[in-house]
Amino acid sequence: MKILVSNDDGVFAEGIRSLANGLAAVGHEVIVVCPDKERSATGHGLTLHQPIRAEIVKSIFDDRITAWACSGTPADCVKLALFGLLESKPDLVLAGINHGPNLGTDILYSGTVSAAMEGIVENIPSIALSLGSYTSRKFEVAVNFAQSFVQKIESQPLENLMLLNVNIPAVEETEIAGVKITRQGIRRYIDIFEKRVDPRGKTYYWLAGEVQEDVEETNDQSSLEKLPTDIQAIGEKYITITPLQYNLTYAKELGYLQKWKIDNFRE
């Protein structure tokens, strides 16, 4: 398969190097287009008011891989690859392997998930891959899973376009409990900002906070409630796969809002 790989941790991150080299090693045509430095938590931001530059990178990746370092955001990287750098569309877009999990509502801020979502916007099946630890540098389990997962999609293509958000526990392969299809959980934080004073006496704020994990939704999710959340499952050492889409319409409430008769606002 022809696979476009990107990330938000930057071109020098061990996660993207491990993923790209691992895919090339099993015969895939791999093209890397990723930020030239870390751009975590940039969401789906695009660069509009300054030029985007891209330079070919050598010696970091396997010789079989064509790699570009881009001055833009993760979403910029994928968009530039598809419309400016590649001669033909890839079969698959992969983002990762991220240094740290992308679980629950954190995916709304994730540059990794946003890079993969850009592929979905352009009708290309996409996968976001994240390792469940910010400090671990053991990517072997995640790479092995990515290789087998891509092979599965190659032999059994997805019937519907979707983004598959994959999180892999940062444990030895023998400790992996299995693979679970999950629903997106909710992560909320307390004490989000720390107020500090710099040496010149000026106040500044540092985004921090303690995570409060796995808050249950109050909405009726019917059959979805039977599935574990991604946060629950990875806590039990399962690899989690959560299907995502970019359409955020709250379909269940469309009928309710139509009863408002808002067109009568002039009365």
Side-chain angles (χ1 to χ4, degrees):
M1 299 182 79
K2 182 176 182 178
I3 301 175
L4 171 62
V5 178
S6 191
N7 74 347
D8 69 356
D9 290 316
V11 67
F12 298 105
E14 188 174 348
I16 193 170
R17 186 168 67 249
S18 300
L19 176 62
N21 290 348
L23 293 171
V26 292
H28 297 291
E29 179 187 353
V30 178
I31 305 95
V32 170
V33 183
C34 65
D36 54 9
K37 59 184 177 181
E38 182 178 351
R39 285 184 171 81
S40 299
T42 54
H44 210 107
L46 296 174
T47 301
L48 300 178
H49 302 294
Q50 60 189 43
I52 298 173
R53 306 184 188 278
E55 295 183 358
I56 290 182
V57 176
K58 297 182 179 179
S59 77
I60 296 177
F61 297 93
D62 186 295
D63 290 340
R64 293 167 288 189
I65 296 171
T66 301
W68 299 75
C70 171
S71 65
T73 67
D76 284 332
C77 292
V78 175
K79 191 177 286 291
L80 178 64
L82 297 179
F83 296 105
L85 300 177
L86 302 185
E87 294 182 359
S88 61
K89 188 168 73 172
D91 301 305
L92 196 63
V93 173
L94 264 65
I97 300 167
N98 192 63
H99 294 221
N102 278 300
L103 300 164
T105 42
D106 283 354
I107 66 170
L108 297 173
Y109 310 101
S110 168
T112 301
V113 174
S114 294
M117 190 64 79
E118 189 63 38
I120 296 297
V121 170
E122 301 303 331
N123 294 312
I124 304 169
S126 301
I127 304 170
L129 291 152
S130 303
L131 185 67
S133 169
Y134 293 103
T135 57
S136 174
R137 292 297 180 265
K138 296 181 178 179
F139 292 97
E140 295 86 354
V141 175
V143 171
N144 291 341
F145 180 77
Q147 290 172 332
S148 62
F149 196 37
V150 169
Q151 183 179 11
K152 175 73 173 177
I153 291 175
E154 184 176 15
S155 61
Q156 188 177 335
L158 298 170
E159 292 184 359
N160 298 301
L161 187 69
M162 68 185 80
L163 189 166
L164 299 176
N165 185 38
V166 179
N167 283 272
I168 300 99
V171 298
E172 299 295 332
E173 192 159 353
T174 54
E175 298 179 66
I176 297 289
V179 181
K180 280 193 175 181
I181 306 301
T182 57
R183 58 189 170 100
Q184 179 188 333
I186 297 176
R187 304 188 92 181
R188 293 202 177 107
Y189 295 81
I190 56 176
D191 299 327
I192 293 180
F193 285 98
E194 290 183 10
K195 184 177 181 180
R196 301 179 182 179
V197 179
D198 68 20
R200 297 188 177 183
K202 293 185 177 181
T203 301
Y204 69 98
Y205 299 88
W206 195 271
L207 184 60
E210 179 183 347
V211 66
Q212 177 184 353
E213 294 188 341
D214 207 20
V215 181
E216 281 295 327
E217 296 175 272
T218 57
N219 299 317
D220 178 18
Q221 297 291 304
S222 60
S223 61
L224 281 181
E225 288 185 343
K226 300 177 183 178
L227 293 175
T229 67
D230 47 7
I231 300 168
Q232 290 171 328
I234 201 168
E236 298 169 356
K237 298 183 179 180
Y238 283 93
I239 294 173
T240 68
I241 303 175
T242 308
L244 303 176
Q245 61 181 5
Y246 60 76
N247 187 342
L248 301 181
T249 304
Y250 195 174
K252 180 182 174 183
E253 297 303 323
L254 287 175
Y256 166 71
L257 290 176
Q258 286 175 326
K259 296 176 184 178
W260 276 17
K261 297 183 179 179
I262 303 176
D263 56 335
N264 295 330
F265 71 94
R266 291 187 177 86
E267 296 180 0

